[in-house]
Amino acid sequence: MIVKKASASDKDKVLEFCQKTFSWGDYISNVWDYWMKEGDLLTIHEKGSPIAICHASFNKEGKQVWIEGIRVNPLFRRRGYASLLIRKAENLARQNDCTTAYMLIASSNVKSINLARKLNYKKYENWNFYSLIPKKIDQKQKIKFVNYEEKLPSVLFPSNFFFVKSWRWLPLDDFSMSSLIKEKRIIYFGNDNNIEGLAILTDSEHFNDTILITIIFGSINGLKEILSYVQNFGHQEKYKRIQILTKLKYLPENENLEYQFSFYLMKQKI
Ligand SMILES: CC(C)(COP(=O)(O)OP(=O)(O)OC[C@H]1O[C@@H](n2cnc3c(N)ncnc32)[C@H](O)[C@@H]1OP(=O)(O)O)[C@@H](O)C(=O)NCCC(=O)NCCS
């Protein structure tokens, strides 16, 4: 069975078998055109029709590949196609000098966890996903942006930390940090001597009107301030959805905050 790059004519047939992948549907129709533009959207065909896909996104600075959107037509499952696609993505990643592969799997998705385990991926981190409804908050916002002049001490950023951009986990290294600071995307609560909360805001490239917030750490008070800032900012900027990703086990109670799922960030050296 040959793995090849997807072509425009594959789209309709793939979207047809990706309508009801999960209880809530699927997001492949939202990302197909972006992934085609980015390249490395891989497919397997049977009798001329695409029956399985996955996308590989290489981060050359971080030397990592992000493997996403693994989908196999339900009529063709359990024949090794997902494994074949992942192995192909890893091979391409090696050719692009990547040394680590990551993928994100919902903690309830047992078959995908088995698949990843079989291919030697390990559970690396647990992440929680919350949604927050944008809302006008009538209180003075005490949040500040990290800027170049008062760059926060690096000790505040635990090493090997990730932030989420377009549902990809990217390393928070000097390279990404400097562009996030330039774009005013890192917010904090507190002062230089006592930082009580830190978060990163990114727009979703694939979903309209959606902002993604990675919450890195915070005291209860700091987290409340961050949530209230983000809620008001979301309202002001007319976002429809605020999606929050965090490794923290709990966020403070907020009537507009709803826990959605948890995910495993799976990792393998390649
Ligand atoms: C998960 C999915 C991609 C697997 O595709 P597949 O082509 O059937 O997978 P493979 O044949 O390569 O299976 C490899 C291993 O995965 C595990 N696995 C696959 N399907 C499984 C199932 N239904 N139950 C338990 N384990 C399963 C097994 O360990 C399997 O090895 P085995 O067949 O030797 O036991 C496919 O079921 C799918 O498209 N699911 C919906 C979308 C999805 O969840 N994508 C992943 C999001 S991270």
Side-chain angles (χ1 to χ4, degrees):
M1 203 48 72
I2 299 170
V3 176
K4 53 184 183 180
K5 299 267 170 90
S7 60
S9 60
D10 291 329
K11 181 175 177 179
D12 290 349
K13 286 196 175 115
V14 170
L15 296 189
E16 220 172 281
F17 71 77
C18 289
Q19 284 178 38
K20 294 180 185 160
T21 311
F22 304 109
S23 56
W24 48 268
D26 203 340
Y27 64 81
I28 300 297
S29 58
N30 297 80
V31 296
W32 177 274
D33 294 340
Y34 292 95
W35 288 358
M36 281 297 283
K37 254 187 239 151
E38 281 183 22
D40 303 299
L41 178 54
L42 308 175
T43 55
I44 293 177
H45 286 71
E46 178 113 340
K47 297 194 179 133
S49 287
I51 47 111
I53 59 159
C54 97
H55 183 238
S57 166
F58 309 115
N59 174 313
K60 291 199 175 173
E61 288 79 24
K63 294 194 164 201
Q64 69 175 54
V65 58
W66 183 255
I67 299 177
E68 59 192 353
I70 309 158
R71 301 286 183 275
V72 178
N73 181 326
L75 301 173
F76 296 89
R77 288 184 184 167
R78 222 60 196 263
R79 302 187 192 181
Y81 292 153
S83 310
L84 196 61
L85 285 165
I86 295 169
R87 289 299 187 220
K88 177 70 182 180
E90 292 168 0
N91 281 338
L92 289 173
R94 278 185 211 100
Q95 289 164 22
N96 281 276
D97 297 327
C98 296
T99 54
T100 318
Y102 291 96
M103 53 174 106
L104 188 75
I105 302 184
S107 55
S108 57
N109 191 343
V110 176
K111 41 190 173 182
S112 295
I113 294 168
N114 287 348
L115 164 72
R117 277 217 184 105
K118 194 176 173 200
L119 299 176
N120 289 324
Y121 284 75
K122 301 275 179 297
K123 284 179 190 168
Y124 180 59
E125 289 178 345
N126 287 8
W127 283 76
N128 294 312
F129 168 37
Y130 294 82
S131 59
L132 178 67
I133 300 170
K135 188 178 161 189
K136 187 168 173 12
I137 308 280
D138 285 321
Q139 78 180 41
K140 193 172 177 308
Q141 299 292 343
K142 300 169 205 143
I143 290 297
K144 297 177 197 156
F145 291 91
V146 174
N147 64 42
Y148 272 119
E149 291 74 41
E150 311 158 22
K151 194 170 169 180
L152 290 175
S154 56
V155 69
L156 281 175
F157 290 96
S159 58
N160 298 325
F161 210 93
F162 291 92
F163 73 103
V164 185
K165 189 177 180 197
S166 291
W167 281 88
R168 289 175 188 152
W169 269 239
L170 300 174
L172 199 49
D173 51 21
D174 288 349
F175 178 82
S176 54
M177 197 113 81
S178 98
S179 59
L180 289 166
I181 291 174
K182 209 181 293 167
E183 292 167 17
K184 294 183 86 177
R185 295 193 178 277
I186 311 185
I187 58 170
Y188 69 100
F189 173 71
N191 55 50
D192 292 353
N193 302 323
N194 183 23
I195 307 290
E196 283 193 65
L198 191 66
I200 295 176
L201 283 53
T202 60
D203 282 322
S204 176
E205 286 161 12
H206 305 140
F207 298 91
N208 292 337
D209 313 319
T210 304
I211 185 164
L212 270 96
I213 317 291
T214 313
I215 296 186
I216 298 193
F217 68 81
S219 63
I220 303 243
N221 190 31
L223 292 170
K224 279 186 182 162
E225 292 292 342
I226 284 182
L227 290 178
S228 126
Y229 172 82
V230 164
Q231 213 173 356
N232 191 56
F233 178 78
H235 175 267
Q236 209 177 290
E237 299 298 314
K238 300 194 168 45
Y239 285 103
K240 287 205 182 107
R241 277 168 298 274
I242 302 173
Q243 300 182 327
I244 297 181
L245 284 313
T246 183
K247 283 204 290 183
L248 297 177
K249 287 213 176 84
Y250 305 102
L251 291 180
E253 289 272 317
N254 177 319
E255 57 176 0
N256 300 116
L257 182 72
E258 196 181 338
Y259 169 78
Q260 301 289 336
F261 312 106
S262 69
F263 292 97
Y264 297 124
L265 181 62
M266 310 289 294
K267 172 180 175 178
Q268 192 195 178
K269 287 267 165 223
I270 53 170

